[in-house]
């Protein structure tokens, strides 16, 4: 739920489609929550804020990227930008992130009057006897098509969230109850199973070519080694789903580009056996 909200926020403030990756989870108490903010621009609410969010932080590469987006410049041009400038610029992005997190977690309309304050000048923000969940997300730092590293940035943009653990537990309990409730209404479980299968997330792979190797050959592979793909064709990629029983071919398409991104254009409908299996569940 939070990852989806962060992805929507990244699209809003950076104009990029990015899949956030959670790289750290910590349960902390009291002022321990301040650990890790040294390299980031951290903000807290300037007033008594409702909801689970206690603090949000954007690291320097993320703040620099946002400033470059607002100024319509390349991020590398702001390598030497003053710290105060980046802090002021990142406050708007941090506020948008806070509102997005709160709305996602509570399903309530965000408070338009929310004002943020610099964490370093906010005094005692965290209660000594309160437990917090600290989450660190990496944004597009894997070197792939959606990575900011291909634009020349040497460091990975990251955002950090601090949430009240008690509120997180309440949200989890609410989600569990909403998931379990339909079971008692449907004794056969068929409708529940169909609904859950249709909403289950599955990883799709666009396969250019495939080959067979022995385990010994795989163990001898080296960096820089060239592997021939004699059967590869740009106009014939196989779209496969990663299932518990292996890779399942779904359709075929051709490799191209759309709005500056690599794209797969489907040339065949979804395989009939896949549709039949879903329909029969």
């Amino acid at each position: 739920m939070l990852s989806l909200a962060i992805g929507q926020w990244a699209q809003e403030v950076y104009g990029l489609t990015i899949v956030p990756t959670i790289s750290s989870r910590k349960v902390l108490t009291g002022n321990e929550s301040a650990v890790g903010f040294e390299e980031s621009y951290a903000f807290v609410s300037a007033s008594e804020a409702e909801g689970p969010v206690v603090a949000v932080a954007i690291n320097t590469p993320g703040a620099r990227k946002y400033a470059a987006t607002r100024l319509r410049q390349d991020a590398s041009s702001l390598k030497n930008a003053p710290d105060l400038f980046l802090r002021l610029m990142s406050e708007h992005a941090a506020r948008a992130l806070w509102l997005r997190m709160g709305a996602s977690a509570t399903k309530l309309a965000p408070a338009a009057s929310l004002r943020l304050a610099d964490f370093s000048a906010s005094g005692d923000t965290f209660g000594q006897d309160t437990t917090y969940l600290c989450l660190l997300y990496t944004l597009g730092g894997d070197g792939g098509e959606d990575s900011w590293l291909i634009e020349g940035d040497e460091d990975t943009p990251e955002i950090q969230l601090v949430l009240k653990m008690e509120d997180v537990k309440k949200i989890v309990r609410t989600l569990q109850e909403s998931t379990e409730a339909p079971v008692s209404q449907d004794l056969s479980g068929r409708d529940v199973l169909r609904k859950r299968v249709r909403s289950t997330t599955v990883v799709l792979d666009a396969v250019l070519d495939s080959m067979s190797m022995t385990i010994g050959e795989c163990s001898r592979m080296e960096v820089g080694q060239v592997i021939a793909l004699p059967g590869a064709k740009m106009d014939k990629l196989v779209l496969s789903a990663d299932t518990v029983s292996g890779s399942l071919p779904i359709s075929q398409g051709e490799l191209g580009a759309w709005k500056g991104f690599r794209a797969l254009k489907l040339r065949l409908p979804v395989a009939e056996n896949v549709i039949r299996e879903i329909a029969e569940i």
Side-chain angles (χ1 to χ4, degrees):
M1 180 178 65
L2 294 179
S3 296
L4 177 61
I6 293 172
Q8 294 171 340
W9 168 80
Q11 179 68 51
E12 175 186 347
V13 300
Y14 298 119
L16 295 173
T17 302
I18 289 178
V19 178
T21 303
I22 186 167
S23 54
S24 174
R25 295 185 186 91
K26 294 181 181 179
V27 177
L28 305 171
T29 302
N31 289 333
E32 288 180 336
S33 301
V35 177
F37 282 165
E38 293 82 359
E39 302 296 328
S40 301
Y41 300 107
F43 300 91
V44 297
S45 176
S47 57
E48 188 68 24
E50 298 182 358
V53 184
V54 178
V56 298
I58 304 174
N59 73 344
T60 301
R64 188 164 53 231
K65 177 65 179 179
Y66 174 70
T69 301
R70 290 289 300 273
L71 298 175
R72 297 183 180 181
Q73 298 180 9
D74 189 87
S76 60
S77 66
L78 298 178
K79 283 285 187 180
N80 299 318
D83 182 76
L84 179 60
F85 169 75
L86 293 179
R87 183 176 297 277
L88 292 174
M89 290 292 290
S90 62
E91 181 176 350
H92 182 271
R95 182 177 183 274
L97 176 60
W98 191 301
L99 293 176
R100 181 73 69 173
M101 291 295 98
S104 174
T106 63
K107 304 301 182 183
L108 299 176
S113 60
L114 174 69
R115 293 184 298 107
L116 298 185
D118 188 346
F119 170 77
S120 61
S122 61
D124 296 332
T125 301
F126 304 104
Q128 293 292 332
D129 299 326
T130 305
T131 303
Y132 301 93
L133 176 63
C134 184
L135 302 172
L136 181 66
Y137 283 87
T138 300
L139 303 181
D142 58 359
E145 289 288 340
D146 61 351
S147 173
W148 291 350
L149 301 183
I150 62 177
E151 298 184 2
D153 285 345
E154 297 177 358
D155 301 313
T156 304
E158 295 176 337
I159 63 170
Q160 194 168 349
L161 307 174
V162 178
L163 312 173
K164 286 180 284 189
M165 179 60 81
E166 184 60 31
D167 286 348
V168 173
K169 291 180 179 179
K170 290 179 181 178
I171 294 171
V172 172
R173 286 195 294 267
T174 301
L175 292 174
Q176 289 176 336
E177 291 171 359
S178 63
T179 302
E180 295 170 356
V183 176
S184 59
Q185 301 172 7
D186 180 19
L187 298 178
S188 67
R190 188 180 184 86
D191 292 338
V192 175
L193 178 60
R194 180 184 291 110
K195 182 177 180 180
R196 291 183 179 177
V197 169
R198 288 180 176 275
S199 61
T200 298
T201 301
V202 64
V203 177
L204 298 180
D205 297 318
V207 182
L208 184 63
D209 197 5
S210 61
M211 66 186 69
S212 298
M213 280 188 179
T214 65
I215 296 179
E217 290 172 333
C218 290
S219 66
R220 291 191 293 272
M221 294 176 67
E222 299 178 350
V223 176
Q225 179 179 346
V226 177
I227 301 176
L229 301 175
K233 295 181 179 179
M234 293 299 183
D235 61 347
K236 190 177 181 181
L237 275 72
V238 178
L239 185 64
S240 300
D242 187 12
T243 70
V244 293
S245 58
S247 181
L248 175 66
I250 292 180
S251 182
Q252 290 186 6
E254 59 180 308
L255 184 65
W258 184 74
K259 292 187 178 181
F261 294 93
R262 290 288 188 181
L264 175 65
K265 182 178 181 180
L266 296 183
R267 301 181 62 184
L268 294 177
V270 177
E272 184 178 347
N273 63 309
V274 176
I275 298 177
R276 187 185 307 114
E277 288 184 11
I278 295 177
E280 292 176 354
I281 291 178

